[in-house]
Amino acid sequence: MSWTVMGSSGAASARERAMRTLYDEQASPLYTYVVRLLGGDRHRAEDVVQETLLRCWRTQDVGGSEPSRRWLFRVARNIVIDEYRLRMARPREVDGTAWLDELLAKPDGVDRMLSSMILKDAIRGLSPKHREVLYEIYYTGRSTREAALVLGVPPGTVKSRLHHAVRALRTALSIEETADEEVGGKPDWVYPSAA
């Protein structure tokens, strides 16, 4: 945000300097306050701060004494409230593309089909041992111990293969692992077992 004032007369110059000082001292805290009021909308917050300072310029004697900080914050708050009330009182605007938004919002099975194709390709890229472990744990729903018995390997090997298989799938699918997810836990994309 910046403040530019046009004019060259001596009286206007003193007023401009006072306004620039007011801007330098109050714009940043006022902006922070308005951003919080608007739930993080920085562009609208800039507009509100500019409107607040413009109202200050028009109505306050900036050259004589600075308007109080409370006055500026109250004016900014009132502008936010007035804009909100105006939007709520206005009928919903239709721009002719609402049908497109509604069409895109409807689930149609294509996304699920594409996701399954991508998942199928990612699973094909795994080694046979990793695919076996994924099948036993996620598709049939067996525990680590049960999968180890079926595959004829120790439970630790099942856990290790599962870990590496899930990590490889995440990489192939470009899924980022978050700190609170367990690699050994069942991922969100698992469907109920068919067995």
Side-chain angles (χ1 to χ4, degrees):
M1 288 186 310
S2 65
W3 181 264
T4 306
V5 180
M6 305 293 274
S8 60
S9 70
S13 172
R15 184 174 163 97
E16 289 170 9
R17 283 193 301 270
M19 196 64 195
R20 185 170 304 283
T21 302
L22 175 69
Y23 175 84
D24 291 341
E25 293 173 359
Q26 300 296 333
S28 181
L30 185 61
Y31 175 75
T32 303
Y33 171 71
V34 173
V35 165
R36 272 189 274 133
L37 282 178
L38 294 173
D41 188 343
R42 295 181 181 278
H43 297 292
R44 281 187 47 224
E46 288 177 5
D47 293 342
V48 170
V49 169
Q50 287 179 358
E51 178 64 25
T52 302
L53 293 174
L54 184 61
R55 287 185 186 182
C56 176
W57 174 265
R58 288 181 189 152
T59 61
Q60 298 293 310
D61 181 20
V62 180
S65 65
E66 288 188 25
S68 74
R69 184 176 184 149
R70 288 180 52 195
W71 184 88
L72 289 169
F73 279 66
R74 186 174 63 241
V75 168
R77 181 177 176 272
N78 289 344
I79 291 171
V80 170
I81 291 171
D82 289 345
E83 286 180 359
Y84 174 78
R85 287 178 179 161
L86 184 64
R87 274 194 321 276
M88 292 299 114
R90 219 185 268 173
R92 185 172 174 239
E93 295 178 8
V94 179
D95 63 357
T97 62
W99 65 271
L100 182 59
D101 293 337
E102 291 172 10
L103 179 67
L104 294 175
K106 292 180 184 176
D108 62 356
V110 173
D111 289 333
R112 186 174 172 120
M113 181 187 70
L114 289 174
S115 296
S116 68
M117 289 172 56
I118 292 168
L119 183 59
K120 185 188 274 185
D121 288 342
I123 290 174
R124 282 184 181 150
L126 296 175
S127 71
K129 291 181 180 183
H130 288 142
R131 284 196 303 263
E132 288 176 341
V133 169
L134 285 175
Y135 176 82
E136 294 300 329
I137 298 290
Y138 292 121
Y139 187 73
T140 64
R142 290 191 167 95
S143 68
T144 305
R145 185 177 307 275
E146 293 169 341
L149 289 172
V150 169
L151 297 173
V153 295
T157 303
V158 171
K159 288 179 183 179
S160 175
R161 288 180 185 171
L162 180 63
H163 170 79
H164 291 291
V166 170
R167 179 143 298 157
L169 283 177
R170 285 180 183 274
T171 302
L173 299 173
S174 301
I175 299 174
E176 292 184 23
E177 198 171 311
T178 60
D180 29 312
E181 289 179 332
E182 288 181 37
V183 176
K186 293 196 178 188
D188 293 338
W189 45 263
V190 173
Y191 298 108
S193 107

